Each structure stands twice: as C-alpha cells, then as structure tokens.
Amino acid sequence: EARKILTICDEPDDAAFWKLAHETKGEFACDVKTPAEATDFSGYEAVCLLNVADPGKPLWTRLAEYAARGGKVLVMPGPGPQIAAAYNSTEAGDLL
C-alpha cells in the first residue's frame, strides 16, 4: 500500500505534476489541499508545503506540532517577494 503524503499548496493546480510523479511511482498516495483545508495531518507520512506564499501562524504551529510528534515536513517555497518575510518569520523559525 502506498504511503500517504499531504501537499499543501495555494493553487492546487500547481501541484499537478508533483502529485502525478508520486502516484506514478506508486510509493506515495498524494492528497493536495489549500492551507485553509489542511487542518488535520494525522495518517500522513509527510506533509509538504509547495508554493505557499504565506503559511501564517496557525499553519506554522500545526506543522511544528506535527514535526514534534515525529512527522516529516518538506518546505518548498515558491517565488515572490513576500516569501522572504513569511519564511523568515518567528513562527516559521520554530519549525525551520
């Protein structure tokens, strides 16, 4: 059975090739959700941030708690000037 990963993306279409690559390989089943939809990480082998412009304090907190429980977190910020501020914030620093 494929291991489950959650990909959080501002625009789910941005994750289409990411999802296809993982599912084609067959090792991972990939769910894609927006930051607002991503409230529960239970059951996922890993949680990936892909092109999320500003995760915000609630999402950073949930990700840090998930990682503290042994969950794996992969962060792939996209382009844009707002990325530096969002990913260099105090909230992000707790996780990153």
Side-chain angles (χ1 to χ4, degrees), residues 9-62:
C9 193
D10 285 340
E11 297 293 332
D13 288 344
D14 289 352
F17 288 116
W18 171 261
K19 179 178 172 126
L20 179 64
H22 283 294
E23 292 185 345
T24 299
K25 179 91 169 145
E27 291 183 33
F28 296 99
C30 182
D31 293 335
V32 177
K33 297 183 180 184
T34 65
E37 298 168 332
T39 57
D40 182 13
F41 305 149
S42 61
Y44 289 103
E45 173 95 12
V47 176
C48 310
L49 284 185
L50 175 64
N51 293 346
V52 177
D54 185 0
K57 184 176 182 171
L59 183 53
W60 282 128
T61 300
R62 285 194 306 274

